[in-house]
Amino acid sequence: DAGVIQSPRHEVTEMGQEVTLRCKPISGHNSLFWYRQTMMRGLELLIYFNNNVPIDDSGMPEDRFSAKMPNASFSTLKIQPSEPRDSAVYFCASSLGGSGRARYFGAGTRLSVL
Amino acid sequence: AQSVTQLGSHVSVSEGALVLLRCNYSSSVPPYLFWYVQYPNQGLQLLLKYTSAATLVKGINGFEAEFKKSETSFHLTKPSAHMSDAAEYFCAVSDSNDYKLSFGAGTTVTVRA
């Protein structure tokens, strides 16, 4: 299996621009997670999908962030408008089931907002 | 709610020496425990997981971890460090009733030649 695939790997944008991050989970996995990693806050769960349905979006920082999962093989995380404080590494992870299952991470998208 | 504490944010070992990374957890129900490794500019890779089948868990790259309920610990060890073990290591805990995976702050391992 190819693992969790994220694109782009790096994104540099200017403040105010829209940013879209993409994720393809491992085939057959029914749970998908978006995380953000920063030096100050470590790994933060942003949103959790189960069977393509958002279950918990309490970690989404504010209304500028939105996530969708239109089908079992694709998810997006959008930031509009972007701000410098959004600069971080964003990870997508998938698992077979949510509770107690190992989570498999993509390589991440390093976002820099200037 | 579960939580994890990793003791020591940085560990430096000599090549060939024992690697010991400490992790203590708190959980109100029997936990599932994981160790992940993150190499520079990469995602988190699963090293091993404890799911109550055996207290001593063997993982990839020669690592193993022992679950000690009485000490609420899940320390990670490797008998002989290799230069390629230089990375950041994360302990994580979840329980059977909760999809949330709580991560420790991470321990960065440096291997000296």
Side-chain angles (χ1 to χ4, degrees), chain B residues 16-38:
Chain B
L18 171 72
V19 179
L20 170 60
L21 304 183
R22 301 179 187 274
C23 172
N24 288 89
Y25 70 91
S26 66
S27 178
S28 57
V29 297
Y32 294 102
L33 293 156
F34 307 84
W35 276 100
Y36 285 87
V37 61
Q38 186 177 27

Side-chain angles (χ1 to χ4, degrees), chain A residues 20-92:
Chain A
T20 299
L21 311 181
R22 296 173 175 79
C23 174
K24 176 179 170 55
I26 291 173
S27 178
H29 282 189
N30 63 347
S31 293
L32 184 138
F33 307 82
W34 281 99
Y35 288 88
R36 178 170 68 177
Q37 185 179 40
T38 61
M39 290 291 289
M40 292 297 294
R41 301 173 68 92
L43 276 159
E44 302 173 276
L45 177 64
L46 299 178
I47 188 167
Y48 160 51
F49 290 89
N50 184 251
N51 293 323
N52 312 337
V53 176
I55 302 300
D56 182 359
D57 65 355
S58 60
M60 298 285 263
E62 46 199 276
D63 292 346
R64 298 184 297 106
F65 285 69
S66 63
K68 294 182 179 180
M69 192 165 185
N71 57 61
S73 59
F74 184 66
S75 177
T76 59
L77 178 67
K78 185 177 294 185
I79 307 173
Q80 165 64 18
S82 58
E83 297 184 2
R85 60 191 167 124
D86 301 330
S87 298
V89 181
Y90 291 81
F91 289 105
C92 176

Side-chain angles (χ1 to χ4, degrees), chain B residues 82-105:
Chain B
H82 191 272
M83 298 298 288
S84 61
D85 295 325
E88 189 163 18
Y89 293 79
F90 293 91
C91 183
V93 63
S94 72
D95 65 51
S96 59
N97 301 319
D98 193 351
Y99 57 84
K100 292 184 179 177
L101 187 60
S102 297
F103 286 91

Side-chain angles (χ1 to χ4, degrees), chain B:
Chain B
Q2 60 272 27
S3 66
V4 166
T5 301
Q6 289 184 243
L7 302 176
S9 59
H10 289 88
V11 169
S12 180
V13 299
S14 297
E15 192 173 19
L18 171 72
V19 179
L20 170 60
L21 304 183
R22 301 179 187 274
C23 172
N24 288 89
Y25 70 91
S26 66
S27 178
S28 57
V29 297
Y32 294 102
L33 293 156
F34 307 84
W35 276 100
Y36 285 87
V37 61
Q38 186 177 27
Y39 299 102
N41 300 315
Q42 294 187 29
L44 279 72
Q45 180 182 359
L46 181 67
L47 271 178
L48 51 81
K49 62 180 178 179
Y50 167 77
T51 54
S52 77
T55 57
L56 184 62
V57 183
K58 294 188 182 298
I60 62 172
N61 303 339
F63 284 92
E64 63 181 33
E66 186 173 9
F67 171 69
K68 291 187 176 181
K69 183 178 179 180
S70 61
E71 299 177 8
T72 61
S73 69
F74 191 57
H75 302 331
L76 182 71
T77 60
K78 181 174 181 177
S80 177
H82 191 272
M83 298 298 288
S84 61
D85 295 325
E88 189 163 18
Y89 293 79
F90 293 91
C91 183
V93 63
S94 72
D95 65 51
S96 59
N97 301 319
D98 193 351
Y99 57 84
K100 292 184 179 177
L101 187 60
S102 297
F103 286 91
T107 299
T108 298
V109 172
T110 303
V111 182
R112 305 186 304 272

